[in-house]
Amino acid sequence: MFSKLHKTLLPVLLLIVLITTGCASGTSTEAATTGDEVKLTLGAYTTPREAYAEVIPLFQAYWLEQSGQKVTFEESYQGSGAQSRAVAEGFEADIVALSLEADITRIEKAGLITHDWRSESYGGMVSTSVVAFAVREGNPKNIQDWDDLTQPDLEILTPNPKTSGGAMWNILGLYGAAKRGHVDGFTADDTGAQDFLLAVLQNVSVMDKGARESITNFEKGIGDVAITYENEVLVGQQAGLNYELVLPSSTIRIDNPVAVVDTYVDKHGTREVAEAFVDFLFTKEAQEIFAKHGLRSPDPEVAEATSATYPPIADLFTIDEFGGWNEATPTFFGDEGIFYQIFAQVQGIQTSE
């Protein structure tokens, strides 16, 4: 089975495909302001596209009323890691809305974000989610928790961590659950967590470049279960798709940051409107829209009002379980990181069979 994964992964590792509405890596956006009109370029990960489709018109109306300026948006959506690298390498986004802090940090290290974006509301995290499962209608494989992912002849979808922030969250979610003692049959330590990761990866049949592409393939009938963002499942259900959501007993909280890209807003003359847009994302109105589109809100009042949709997790942990992204990224996703060591083992096992 893993030969399918290997064939799928190779082109993904070689190519980064931009899913945009008029943007591409290396695009130069000069003179974005003309007095009565201003253009903002948003570089985002794929998952909250529907939420931004609803938030952006509200901000446009707000900004027109406040300033008399018409604001237009150029929007680019792709896997968080790929989007982060595109901006760091020259895609001139005014604002980035990504899946995880490490992808913002990459842009900081490139010298493009120079302000303290973490000083925004809720540490700059505009939305949250959790790692969950999408299963077929009626849950025919009876997947209730992490340990069910190791059953024989199961086909799992999860994105590629080279390009997808969601994939990185998925790996840390399953690893942390095992290490914290919430996966039957595996010891509650790093050895047990690595054994569990190996067992799950042996059942992975497809790795797409982003979380949205992964759930789209699942919607097409590929696989038995998709490890994904909770909100991807909720958005699909809202669209009338008949798969089901399974929340594991132990999982990681996904924190999604947003930041103004200082170098590019200063180049384009868009700092004022870009900062206003980021501030607008933290208003009750915008937070309610994120919650409507499957994302948990960091705003306590909105979270309380939507608690029926977003039940608590018995054992919810955060990236701090791994020492933060500064430690987790090289430990798990560096060239010699835990994920790639285990991935190489799986390739070896499949090759020898």
Side-chain angles (χ1 to χ4, degrees):
M1 180 183 295
F2 205 77
S3 61
K4 292 185 290 181
L5 171 58
H6 189 240
K7 292 176 182 177
T8 303
L9 182 60
L10 281 176
V12 173
L13 293 177
L14 294 172
L15 298 175
I16 297 176
V17 180
L18 290 179
I19 302 174
T20 72
T21 56
C23 298
S25 178
T27 298
S28 177
T29 312
E30 303 284 356
T33 306
T34 60
D36 293 335
E37 187 169 337
V38 59
K39 181 175 74 173
L40 285 180
T41 301
L42 171 66
Y45 71 115
T46 56
T47 296
R49 187 183 310 186
E50 290 84 3
Y52 282 108
E54 192 168 340
V55 169
I56 284 172
L58 294 177
F59 176 74
Q60 288 170 319
Y62 162 81
W63 189 248
L64 183 63
E65 181 180 350
Q66 292 294 310
S67 68
Q69 240 183 0
K70 178 183 178 182
V71 55
T72 60
F73 278 79
E74 234 172 59
E75 301 165 60
S76 168
Y77 297 96
Q78 60 175 325
S80 186
Q83 190 70 271
S84 173
R85 280 187 286 273
V87 174
E89 293 168 5
F91 169 42
E92 296 184 5
D94 298 294
I95 301 146
V96 285
L98 302 176
S99 172
L100 60 145
E101 182 177 347
D103 287 336
I104 300 285
T105 301
R106 179 185 288 115
I107 301 169
E108 282 185 291
K109 289 180 177 178
L112 300 174
I113 295 176
T114 56
H115 73 289
D116 182 12
W117 61 272
R118 299 169 186 82
S119 64
E120 290 284 346
S121 301
Y122 315 115
M125 302 300 169
V126 72
S127 61
T128 73
S129 191
V130 297
V131 172
F133 312 142
V135 301
R136 299 296 173 195
E137 186 177 18
N139 196 2
K141 297 289 186 176
N142 193 30
I143 296 167
Q144 303 297 332
D145 216 330
W146 287 109
D147 47 293
D148 296 316
L149 299 186
T150 63
Q151 60 184 279
D153 299 321
L154 189 74
E155 291 197 18
I156 299 171
L157 276 63
T158 185
N160 175 11
K162 280 287 187 182
T163 52
S164 169
M168 296 168 75
W169 285 116
N170 291 352
I171 298 302
L172 295 180
L174 70 86
Y175 192 99
K179 187 175 179 180
R180 291 165 68 88
H182 291 269
V183 179
D184 291 342
F186 297 87
T187 58
D189 54 24
D190 282 299
T191 298
Q194 290 178 31
D195 289 342
F196 178 59
L197 176 58
L198 176 63
V200 172
L201 285 180
Q202 288 183 78
N203 279 344
V204 171
S205 59
V206 177
M207 277 185 170
D208 291 292
K209 64 181 180 293
R212 177 54 55 87
E213 292 81 4
S214 186
I215 198 69
T216 297
N217 265 332
F218 184 74
E219 291 167 359
K220 292 176 180 177
I222 299 171
D224 302 304
V225 55
I227 310 174
T228 187
Y229 297 104
E230 173 190 42
N231 53 288
E232 286 285 11
V233 185
L234 294 175
V235 166
Q237 290 176 331
Q238 289 171 3
L241 297 169
N242 57 5
Y243 48 71
E244 297 178 9
L245 170 68
V246 173
L247 292 173
S249 60
S250 175
T251 194
I252 194 167
R253 188 186 74 199
I254 296 169
D255 296 319
N256 311 130
V258 64
V260 167
V261 184
D262 296 281
T263 295
Y264 295 143
V265 296
D266 289 340
K267 179 178 180 178
H268 304 155
T270 55
R271 176 175 291 277
E272 183 182 9
V273 63
E275 290 178 346
F277 179 67
V278 169
D279 289 343
F280 188 81
L281 297 179
F282 291 98
T283 64
K284 288 286 190 298
E285 187 175 22
Q287 285 295 303
E288 287 169 355
I289 291 171
F290 283 117
K292 172 183 172 183
H293 290 280
L295 290 155
R296 298 182 180 226
S297 174
D299 183 304
E301 292 182 10
V302 177
E304 175 64 26
T306 57
S307 59
T309 304
Y310 303 105
I313 304 296
D315 180 55
L316 184 66
F317 54 94
T318 71
I319 191 61
D320 292 340
E321 180 80 9
F322 305 96
W325 282 109
N326 285 338
E327 291 188 24
T329 301
T331 298
F332 285 86
F333 307 108
D335 290 341
E336 301 299 323
I338 290 170
F339 172 80
Y340 293 106
Q341 291 180 33
I342 302 297
F343 184 81
Q345 290 182 48
V346 176
Q347 288 181 303
I349 290 170
Q350 296 297 326
T351 300
S352 65
E353 288 180 351

